[in-house]
Amino acid sequence: SHAPSVRQTLQPSELEDRNLYQMLRTLPAWLMAWTCVILVGAGTIMTNNMGQMVESLSFPSLAAPASLALFSVAQAGARVATGAVSEAALAWDTSICGIPKGVPRPAFLIAASVAGFLSHVLLAVTTNEVTFVIGAAFAGAAFGMVWPLMVLIVGEVFGTLHHGANYMFYDGTFLEILPYS
């Protein structure tokens, strides 16, 4: 018994495949863009500035490559796990939460946002290397979660007919600007 996807639970008028122009005229498209820009931006900042962060906290220089390695491992693991867990969550018994059945995939963007927020709070108040490395790993996990979720949510919410163009708005156009700004 497979739970319905987000797309299968939408009203019939919302089930149409949307092209890029139609997608960009919806609030969910812009809320997803806002969330993804923040998560990807935070991960990009961590990747590009790990050494400077370690140096500014007066940690030993070996903390930078260790932190970056754990950030990378966490984000790679999150990329693999998020797709599988969010798929399994569609079938979870959530009747006690008032949700008919299953956790909608966009809820995982909220989980990634909470993880990203908490990791950056931890990084902001850290005074020791262990806490810094843990914060970096959690930031990596939040960063990694966003990539499979973008692909899956775009297809489920906006349809698969124009999936390539719609997804590339997030990955190929909109979010690629961040590393160069």
Side-chain angles (χ1 to χ4, degrees):
S1 68
H2 190 306
S5 70
V6 172
R7 185 162 170 71
Q8 293 168 332
T9 61
L10 296 174
Q11 299 301 321
S13 62
E14 299 174 33
L15 286 175
E16 65 192 48
D17 284 300
R18 297 175 191 244
N19 64 31
L20 182 59
Y21 176 72
Q22 293 167 329
M23 180 189 81
L24 294 177
R25 294 182 63 202
T26 67
L27 181 60
W30 290 103
L31 291 173
M32 186 169 155
W34 176 259
T35 304
C36 292
V37 163
I38 291 170
L39 287 167
V40 171
T44 303
I45 287 171
M46 290 293 298
T47 303
N48 292 336
N49 297 301
M50 193 74 72
Q52 290 87 346
M53 294 166 69
V54 167
E55 184 180 339
S56 71
L57 292 167
S58 301
F59 294 155
S61 60
L62 289 177
S67 298
L68 190 55
L70 286 173
F71 175 91
S72 298
V73 168
Q75 69 94 13
R79 286 180 187 220
V80 172
T82 299
V85 172
S86 68
E87 183 68 26
L90 293 171
W92 290 349
D93 179 16
T94 54
S95 58
I96 58 171
C97 302
I99 302 170
K101 181 161 180 151
V103 176
R105 209 176 306 268
F108 285 85
L109 277 179
I110 295 169
S113 299
V114 170
F117 172 76
L118 293 175
S119 69
H120 286 274
V121 167
L122 187 63
L123 290 167
V125 299
T126 188
T127 57
N128 65 60
E129 298 148 44
V130 172
T131 309
F132 181 83
V133 171
I134 291 169
F138 281 124
F143 177 65
M145 287 176 73
V146 74
W147 301 105
L149 290 173
M150 279 193 296
V151 175
L152 297 167
I153 292 170
V154 166
E156 287 181 352
V157 175
F158 304 112
T160 56
L161 185 62
H162 305 283
H163 187 265
N166 292 344
Y167 171 69
M168 287 312 291
F169 168 75
Y170 295 103
D171 187 32
T173 307
F174 203 60
L175 294 177
E176 286 300 318
I177 295 168
L178 286 173
Y180 306 108
S181 55

